[in-house]
Amino acid sequence: MTIVQLEYIVAVDTYKSFVKAAEKCFVTQPTLSMQVQKLEEILDIKIFDRTKQPIIPTEIGAEVITQARKVLQESYKINEIINERKDEISGELRIGVIPTIAPFLLPKVLGKFMEKYPKVKLYVSELTTENIISKLKNGLLDCGILATPLDEPAIVERPVYYENFVAYISEESSLFPRRTLELTDLNIDELWLLNEGHCLRNQVLNICQRKKSEGQNLEYNTGSIETLIRMVDLNQGMTILPELSLQDFSVEQLDKVRYFKTPQPSREISIVTHASFIKKRTIDALENEILESVPNSMRSKNKKSIVAI
């Protein structure tokens, strides 16, 4: 039994295809298939049910693959030990970021990180929270940057900063003359919301403590905060935004922003990893760059109320 064979069965399980697994492992499909078959012969079991499409593991194969993932995680730590001794941050870092964070945080963080740590190869994907958790569990990501708490047993959360929610209100709204708002001031039927599946949508609904009404004339589905802003600018109503999204606002747009009274509704942003994660020093470095890129006021949750997802 070899580490390479374990990598191959994990890849087949992850991509549900021998062809895709071979591509990701940079080998030919016959080579990968031969090594998987050798491992099955060594163990005297069938790891995969090849009659199903997409490929799925057998019952005992699923148990073997679960253990293989653990073995591989431990084997990868050898490189981490070497890097620690060399006092060097290098290798790959695969990051998943939710779309309501990525455009407002990453442009500040990534350039500085790459300048400081030129030996690290970054792979960044914008994904929903659900997809990030799934890919962390399957070993396809090293870490995620998203809103927490998640209450996921296999996931470790490392809170980094706390971002206020603000209201963005059209000039025609009855709330426009107010300089600060109470949560009870919000009329959810006037709110533009993100699609289902975005944690920000859930948090906004939790802020309002009720669901959006049925039977409205327009239900607009979008995954873009920029689109929500444009809808308010051109079609009245209001929306709820994370505070970092204000950084490039014009004076005219800032005039439509309203903060909430203390304790301000906020979201906790964390770096999350699998419970058996490696690359600790690289992730520590990423956390430091994030902290240097956000205002000092976001480093504490003092006078803030964390909204559930």
Side-chain angles (χ1 to χ4, degrees), residues 53-269:
Q53 290 295 330
I55 298 290
I56 61 171
T58 61
E59 185 176 347
I60 192 170
E63 293 182 34
V64 170
I65 291 166
T66 297
Q67 187 61 35
R69 291 185 187 278
K70 295 177 183 177
V71 171
L72 290 173
Q73 286 292 329
E74 291 301 314
S75 72
Y76 296 152
K77 288 181 181 178
I78 294 173
N79 285 331
E80 285 298 295
I81 292 170
I82 301 303
N83 288 337
E84 288 280 350
R85 289 289 185 180
K86 290 180 178 178
D87 195 25
E88 178 179 85
I89 295 178
S90 61
E92 296 180 352
L93 187 65
R94 299 164 297 170
I95 309 169
V97 190
I98 58 174
T100 58
I101 293 176
F104 314 115
L105 177 69
L106 293 188
K108 292 182 175 182
V109 172
L110 297 184
K112 293 179 180 177
F113 184 92
M114 289 186 292
E115 185 178 340
K116 286 185 182 178
Y117 308 104
K119 293 186 178 181
V120 177
K121 174 78 172 178
L122 293 178
Y123 297 91
V124 183
S125 302
E126 286 192 28
L127 302 164
T128 63
T129 295
E130 183 180 359
N131 283 335
I132 290 174
I133 293 171
S134 174
K135 288 180 181 292
L136 283 172
K137 290 179 177 179
N138 287 329
L140 296 176
L141 290 176
D142 296 308
C143 68
I145 304 174
L146 42 72
T148 52
L150 299 172
D151 297 322
E152 282 280 342
I155 300 299
V156 175
E157 301 173 10
R158 184 193 298 204
V160 181
Y161 67 92
Y162 305 89
E163 182 178 20
N164 289 335
F165 289 112
V166 300
Y168 187 69
I169 303 174
S170 72
E171 295 173 352
E172 289 79 9
S173 171
S174 60
L175 295 178
F176 187 77
R178 308 267 191 98
R179 301 323 297 171
T180 57
L181 300 179
E182 301 273 6
L183 296 183
T184 52
D185 294 331
L186 297 176
N187 179 357
I188 195 167
D189 294 329
E190 294 182 12
L191 279 171
W192 298 101
L193 298 173
L194 292 176
N195 291 344
E196 296 277 357
H198 288 273
C199 59
L200 181 59
R201 176 189 175 94
N202 297 339
Q203 289 178 305
V204 171
L205 292 175
N206 286 333
I207 288 172
C208 298
Q209 297 183 340
R210 64 191 182 94
K211 294 181 179 179
K212 206 165 174 67
S213 300
E214 299 293 332
Q216 289 181 283
N217 289 340
L218 175 62
E219 183 75 22
Y220 190 93
N221 290 308
T222 180
S224 164
I225 285 179
E226 287 82 357
T227 300
L228 296 182
I229 293 167
R230 290 287 290 165
M231 293 302 283
V232 172
D233 287 341
L234 300 176
N235 295 287
Q236 303 183 19
M238 68 181 75
T239 193
I240 304 295
L241 304 174
E243 193 174 7
L244 280 181
S245 67
L246 310 181
Q247 55 196 334
D248 294 322
F249 270 28
S250 65
V251 173
E252 208 172 59
Q253 288 177 313
L254 288 173
D255 191 47
K256 300 176 184 178
V257 173
R258 299 292 180 271
Y259 283 82
F260 293 96
K261 292 182 179 178
T262 303
Q264 294 173 301
S266 307
R267 63 178 182 173
E268 176 184 82
I269 304 301

Side-chain angles (χ1 to χ4, degrees), residues 4 7-29 32 76 92 94 123 125 135 138-140:
V4 169
E7 287 177 334
Y8 288 173
I9 65 170
V10 166
V12 173
D13 180 59
T14 299
Y15 299 105
K16 311 301 180 189
S17 162
F18 279 84
V19 174
K20 289 182 180 177
E23 289 174 0
K24 297 295 181 180
C25 293
F26 303 104
V27 296
T28 64
Q29 190 264 324
L32 182 137
Y76 296 152
E92 296 180 352
R94 299 164 297 170
Y123 297 91
S125 302
K135 288 180 181 292
N138 287 329
L140 296 176

